Amino acid sequence: MRESIKKLIMECDFISVDTSALMEVDIFKKFINEYKETLQKAGRKIFVYREVIKELQILYQIAEGEKSTRAEEALGMLYDFYEIFRCEEEPDEVDWNIVRCTADQRILGAVTWYKPYHSQLFISNDKKLLKGILQVDKQEAVRGRAVYAASLTCDGDLEQYEESEEYIEEYIEAEDAQKETYAHGHRKGMLLGSMLGMIIVGGIQCLLRSGNKA
């Protein structure tokens, strides 16, 4: 398992993380301690978008209780492991008024933007975002290098989302639903076409009979 993760880190040119993964501070520290050497050997740093930093700051200042504490610890982690992270902008300098889009929007945009030139690894514990990353990657218009989406496990490892049974089941269900929609539309189209043909033929026959009577 860990050898496959090391290989994944070595292969991917661009690695980034979202808010949900950074909020799992203790688990993420396990990941860093386990793969710090691999990251440094590969010359990789984990990129943190300013949108992610903004979300952490908002949670720290506005949320209450444990969520605020975890956001504060996540921001502190960016400084504690400065040799591992590469922040798009220093956390203290991120201007909320300038950052317009959400972290998810920025990350999904990166899939398309970097794909022609870089193999990518996105770390997130948000299943909707993981699914969205793979959906964007699978679009026929998006050509290029490999894109991986992975979540953190409790012991600080990574699990590729596309390998999970849940993803496979969802993919199959979506494919079946799409086929059923097409089949239903095709049957409906044939029925409407048949009815329209009967109406046209019937109308022509009525006109012919009227012409004969005249």
Side-chain angles (χ1 to χ4, degrees):
M1 174 70 173
R2 292 188 174 178
E3 288 304 316
S4 64
I5 296 172
K6 288 179 181 179
K7 183 179 178 182
L8 186 62
I9 291 172
M10 296 289 288
E11 289 181 353
C12 290
D13 303 327
F14 183 80
I15 303 173
S16 69
V17 63
D18 82 332
T19 310
S20 66
L22 288 173
M23 288 282 283
E24 299 290 343
V25 181
D26 292 338
I27 294 176
F28 206 92
K29 285 182 179 179
K30 288 182 182 180
F31 169 76
I32 291 174
N33 290 328
E34 182 63 38
Y35 298 103
K36 178 180 179 180
E37 184 178 340
T38 304
L39 287 162
Q40 292 177 330
K41 183 179 179 180
R44 307 285 187 262
K45 287 198 173 187
I46 301 173
F47 191 80
V48 185
Y49 290 103
R50 62 169 61 92
E51 287 80 5
V52 171
I53 297 171
K54 173 187 174 181
E55 289 185 358
L56 289 173
Q57 289 176 331
I58 291 174
L59 288 170
Y60 165 50
Q61 296 190 25
I62 297 178
E64 297 180 355
E66 182 184 358
K67 186 171 286 188
S68 175
T69 301
R70 287 166 57 194
E72 181 182 14
E73 291 174 349
L75 289 166
M77 183 170 61
L78 298 180
Y79 287 110
D80 294 340
F81 295 93
Y82 66 93
E83 74 278 17
I84 296 298
F85 294 105
R86 182 164 69 90
C87 296
E88 186 174 21
E89 193 170 343
E90 288 294 319
D92 294 337
E93 297 177 3
V94 174
D95 188 342
W96 295 9
N97 297 317
I98 295 176
V99 181
R100 299 295 183 185
C101 65
T102 66
D104 286 7
Q105 289 171 335
R106 184 71 191 282
I107 289 170
L108 290 173
V111 178
T112 303
W113 182 262
Y114 291 112
K115 187 172 174 62
Y117 317 103
H118 300 285
S119 51
Q120 304 172 68
L121 169 60
F122 295 92
I123 304 173
S124 170
N125 276 14
D126 183 340
K127 289 186 178 180
K128 288 185 179 179
L129 177 58
L130 292 169
K131 183 177 180 179
I133 290 169
L134 293 183
Q135 286 177 335
V136 173
D137 176 47
K138 291 182 183 300
Q139 291 176 4
E140 291 186 5
V142 183
R143 301 288 184 181
R145 302 185 66 184
V147 175
Y148 302 96
S151 59
L152 288 167
T153 63
C154 294
D155 56 357
D157 278 327
L158 293 180
E159 179 181 17
Q160 284 184 229
Y161 185 66
E162 62 183 348
E163 292 179 347
S164 69
E165 293 182 1
E166 180 183 358
Y167 172 76
I168 295 172
E169 289 173 1
E170 288 181 355
Y171 183 81
I172 292 173
E173 288 176 2
E175 286 287 300
D176 290 344
Q178 186 176 10
K179 289 177 182 178
E180 178 60 29
T181 300
Y182 171 79
H184 177 72
H186 184 65
R187 288 194 299 268
K188 186 176 180 181
M190 290 182 64
L191 179 61
L192 289 174
S194 177
M195 291 177 62
L196 182 60
M198 291 174 64
I199 292 171
I200 293 172
V201 171
I204 292 173
Q205 290 177 343
C206 287
L207 287 173
L208 290 174
R209 285 197 293 270
S210 298
N212 291 334
K213 290 180 180 179

